[in-house]
Amino acid sequence: MNIAIILISGEGKRFNSELPKQFTIVNSRPLYLYTLDRFYHFKEIDKIILVTKKEYLSLVKKDLCFYKYHNVDVIIGDNARYLSVINALNYISSFANENDNVLIHDGVRCNVSKA
């Protein structure tokens, strides 16, 4: 199985905005959805985990519903990226095995390619 972990729990302090940059609207959609969309349409990806802060959990779930993304798990991240990664790895440990591939991606860099 190929599992994509997309980190959208950062604060984006250098972005100097009220909202973290992953939630900035670009062409009527939050930026992180462009990244999600890329992974969502890669047929090689079997499972997607979005990692966000607790205060944005309902917003992310609302976006997933509105834009009709199915079978995407959303979990709570932490204040530091490495802690968010640990949360995600702990989460997938209940269903992943040693033969699975895990991809970890920064949710605001949306021009990811298959390569």
Side-chain angles (χ1 to χ4, degrees):
M1 179 169 27
N2 294 314
I3 304 164
I5 295 171
I6 302 174
L7 302 170
I8 60 169
S9 57
E11 294 180 17
K13 290 179 183 177
R14 293 175 297 175
F15 190 61
N16 198 26
S17 174
E18 210 170 283
L19 276 177
K21 63 184 162 188
Q22 61 269 31
F23 298 109
T24 299
I25 303 299
V26 177
N27 292 327
S28 75
R29 297 177 68 195
L31 181 61
Y32 80 91
L33 287 180
Y34 292 96
T35 303
L36 173 61
D37 197 58
R38 298 300 287 262
F39 282 98
Y40 194 81
H41 289 100
F42 291 155
K43 65 180 181 196
E44 297 83 2
I45 301 297
D46 302 300
K47 186 74 177 160
I48 298 174
I49 314 298
L50 282 177
V51 185
T52 191
K53 285 197 167 202
K54 186 176 183 177
E55 56 262 35
Y56 296 108
L57 183 64
S58 62
L59 174 65
V60 170
K61 287 183 176 184
K62 186 174 99 176
D63 285 346
L64 294 178
C65 184
F66 182 80
Y67 290 101
K68 297 179 176 39
Y69 288 102
H70 305 286
N71 300 318
V72 175
D73 294 356
V74 184
I75 66 167
I76 303 298
D78 213 308
N79 288 332
R81 181 180 307 220
Y82 79 96
L83 294 172
S84 292
V85 170
I86 290 170
N87 287 1
L89 294 175
N90 286 334
Y91 176 78
I92 68 170
S93 70
S94 66
F95 59 84
N97 67 56
E98 62 186 37
N99 296 319
D100 291 339
N101 297 302
V102 178
L103 295 87
I104 300 172
H105 186 74
D106 178 342
V108 298
R109 286 163 181 77
C110 55
N111 290 324
V112 62
S113 69
K114 265 189 191 180

